[in-house]
Amino acid sequence: MIYWFRQDLRTRDLPGLHAAAQTGKPVIPVYILDEDAPGNWRAGGASRWWLHHSLEALKSELGKLGGSLHIYKGSTVAALKTIVKETGADTIYCSQQFEPWSRALEQSVHEYFSTEGLTVKRFPGTLLHQPESISTQAGQPFKVYTPFWRACNAAQPPAAPLPQPEDAIWFSEALTSAPLNELELLPTSPDWAATWHDYWTPGELGANNRARYFLAGPAEHYGEGRDYAAKAYTSKLSAHLHHGEISVRTVWHMAEAQKNETPEAASSIEKFQSELGWREFCYHLLVHFPDIPEKPFKAPFSSFPWASNESALDAWQRGQTGYPIVDAGMRELWQTGFMHNRVRMVVASFLTKHLLLHWRDGEDWFWDTLVDADLASNACSWQWVCGSGSDAAPYFRIFNPIAQGEKFDKEGEYVRRWVPEIAALPDKYLHKPWETPPLLLQEAGITLGETYPLPIVDHKIARESALAAYATIKGQA
Ligand code: FAD
């Protein structure tokens, strides 16, 4: 029995692995890095860093159970053929995944090996509800989040998580697989991720520890605290969930249990569960509208007059726009592989509305730099912010980066953490340094345009330009 690991790098609550173990036949755990399969969506740098450490953790976790992970690089079908030849395996187990290329890959594995007389068995494991089980009363896909999540909540609750396959019999002979380092997933020169272990513990244990820590403490403040950029009130589970190190239904059940234990925190925890619902909704959209990562959901946005401006894009990517909350977010992303959700919305609005740059420029940058880069959530979120998505924020809702900073980073802790060169400014001017009286700037050691940029666009003018650009498609959008 081959268990083909994909974005499900865990041993607990993995229905396919559980089923393979229950056959009583030796299980061969396999991971294949097939870089051609995703085409343009090859994993970005930050995801590759995470994947390396997640595979290392999976090797160790399987080792504790008595198994070994066999790693391959290259074509999936070719690697599986080699394994079948060397082991005589007759069945391939895996979890269903929903990226268009993952589905195509599953299909080609299924087609090839069926003709060879093997069985390919695909199991759920990525979502709370299988996409085909949730639809409108008319049997159509949902396009609006609220009724979608209501339908999820009205469905059968997710089944209880499965335990680790402790009784599995593992295949014990050596195979011609590759050492993990041969996948070349880690950055070398420069090693921009040198400090990332201070922020992250990729792998199943890290995921479970984080979920436990979050639900036992910060979750209580999630409802009122999740929007405050400097506060640690969100779970930071996204990269663990993306790589499948913990199943979403495990997290959901842990949340249910915590609600019973601390009823006073129940509404906050329900809010958290509803964010798991957004993840679910993004996958629902991706399954039914698979070109969402590349095309606007609202067709009129195809003729939106996006600008082309390399230097503005560069300033945004490097956190040098002159708007402190935007720069803080972009630097948090570069330095840690993560950005707080509120700030993601602000920087995405800034890119698509203040700079009028295409949402795909932002989507691509996030894809390369986020440890939680996820095709469904990234694409849907970018389209949501810029107004072209299903159930999106309207385009004319243009975040004011000064007001957003003043509201969600009132004491300036977040900006001071990531933009230290303006840390000495008084709170009053921290989110609009250009309004600081010259004497105060001098005292703070800041020369605008030299030690920190002047704003690359004027908020009011940019807002008007954005609305004018939107007016060109407004009648159709
Ligand atoms: P929590 O607030 O603790 O939420 C719990 C979980 O719910 C998250 O781990 C995540 O899996 C899910 N979730 C929360 N908010 C959303 C959301 N709006 N959409 C979908 N799922 C959500 N999330 C990704 O996982 N990958 C991405 O590539 C991604 N790109 C984004 C791009 C933009 C422009 C924006 C505005 C948001 C993006 N998000 C993405 C959604 C969200 O910002 C992150 O999921 C969240 O910040 C992760 O932090 P957390 O785990 O502490 O979240």
Side-chain angles (χ1 to χ4, degrees), residues 41 44-46 313-314 316-319 329-331 333-334 339 347 351 359-370 373 378 382:
W41 296 104
L313 180 60
D314 185 64
W316 178 82
Q317 289 171 340
R318 289 185 302 113
M330 298 309 293
R331 295 183 197 187
L333 174 61
W334 185 249
M339 192 193 302
V347 304
L351 184 85
W359 58 272
R360 291 220 46 202
D361 289 333
E363 185 194 26
D364 284 349
W365 184 251
F366 273 26
W367 183 254
D368 197 27
T369 53
L370 276 173
N378 199 31
W382 272 97

Side-chain angles (χ1 to χ4, degrees), residues 214 222 226 233-239 241-242 248 251 272-280 282 338-349 366-367 370 372-385:
F214 169 73
Y222 185 81
R226 60 186 288 272
Y233 288 148
T234 71
S235 71
K236 293 205 167 175
L237 278 169
S238 48
L241 284 167
H242 169 77
V248 66
V251 178
F272 168 72
Q273 287 175 309
S274 76
E275 295 302 321
L276 298 177
W278 271 102
R279 174 181 182 272
E280 201 82 2
C282 295
F338 185 83
M339 192 193 302
H340 187 278
N341 179 60
R342 166 59 52 179
V343 192
R344 290 187 202 202
M345 293 198 282
V346 174
V347 304
S349 173
F366 273 26
W367 183 254
L370 276 173
D372 64 25
D374 181 271
L375 194 76
S377 299
N378 199 31
C380 292
S381 301
W382 272 97
Q383 293 222 38
W384 186 87
V385 176

Side-chain angles (χ1 to χ4, degrees), residues 19-94:
Q22 284 203 322
T23 61
K25 295 188 187 165
V27 179
I28 313 160
V30 166
Y31 180 82
I32 306 159
L33 181 70
D34 186 344
E35 303 245 57
D36 289 336
N40 294 336
W41 296 104
R42 185 176 183 258
S47 299
R48 289 164 72 82
W49 175 87
W50 190 288
L51 177 61
H52 176 97
H53 295 292
S54 191
L55 287 170
E56 208 166 43
L58 179 64
K59 260 170 96 81
S60 150
E61 205 58 26
L62 283 167
K64 285 185 219 159
L65 293 171
S68 338
L69 180 65
H70 300 277
I71 293 177
Y72 297 79
K73 187 175 183 178
S75 145
T76 301
V77 170
L80 289 170
K81 261 162 74 176
T82 308
I83 303 162
V84 168
K85 201 165 159 204
E86 286 185 37
T87 63
D90 60 6
T91 314
I92 299 169
Y93 289 76
C94 67

Side-chain angles (χ1 to χ4, degrees), residues 14-258:
L14 193 49
L17 183 64
H18 193 81
Q22 284 203 322
T23 61
K25 295 188 187 165
V27 179
I28 313 160
V30 166
Y31 180 82
I32 306 159
L33 181 70
D34 186 344
E35 303 245 57
D36 289 336
N40 294 336
W41 296 104
R42 185 176 183 258
S47 299
R48 289 164 72 82
W49 175 87
W50 190 288
L51 177 61
H52 176 97
H53 295 292
S54 191
L55 287 170
E56 208 166 43
L58 179 64
K59 260 170 96 81
S60 150
E61 205 58 26
L62 283 167
K64 285 185 219 159
L65 293 171
S68 338
L69 180 65
H70 300 277
I71 293 177
Y72 297 79
K73 187 175 183 178
S75 145
T76 301
V77 170
L80 289 170
K81 261 162 74 176
T82 308
I83 303 162
V84 168
K85 201 165 159 204
E86 286 185 37
T87 63
D90 60 6
T91 314
I92 299 169
Y93 289 76
C94 67
S95 306
Q96 242 184 326
Q97 320 259 265
F98 299 103
E99 288 77 8
W101 71 78
S102 302
R103 300 172 76 186
L105 194 57
E106 264 166 47
Q107 195 50 30
S108 54
V109 166
H110 173 71
E111 278 164 18
Y112 179 83
F113 287 100
S114 308
T115 58
E116 296 286 301
L118 273 84
T119 312
V120 178
K121 295 192 172 182
R122 292 174 272 190
F123 290 79
T126 305
L127 298 174
L128 290 170
H129 302 277
Q130 284 301 89
E132 63 279 4
S133 69
I134 305 289
S135 56
T136 64
Q137 283 191 341
Q140 296 300 311
F142 282 99
K143 294 182 185 165
V144 179
Y145 166 78
T146 305
F148 167 79
W149 188 232
R150 208 181 295 129
C152 290
N153 285 327
Q156 284 284 358
L162 296 163
Q164 262 186 322
E166 283 174 358
D167 302 332
I169 297 170
W170 302 98
F171 182 82
S172 58
E173 286 161 44
L175 293 177
T176 50
S177 50
L180 176 56
N181 280 342
E182 261 181 37
L183 301 189
E184 297 179 289
L185 293 168
L186 293 178
T188 47
S189 44
D191 178 6
W192 39 258
T195 59
W196 282 16
H197 282 296
D198 298 347
Y199 303 109
W200 306 111
T201 309
E204 188 169 11
L205 286 184
N208 279 281
N209 287 340
R210 190 170 277 276
R212 265 194 299 272
Y213 163 80
F214 169 73
L215 284 162
E220 191 182 335
H221 307 287
Y222 185 81
E224 86 283 354
R226 60 186 288 272
D227 270 324
Y228 294 97
K231 307 284 178 228
Y233 288 148
T234 71
S235 71
K236 293 205 167 175
L237 278 169
S238 48
H240 296 291
L241 284 167
H242 169 77
H243 290 89
E245 298 166 354
I246 187 167
S247 72
V248 66
R249 73 177 177 187
T250 299
V251 178
W252 189 88
H253 277 285
M254 287 169 83
E256 282 295 289
Q258 192 63 37

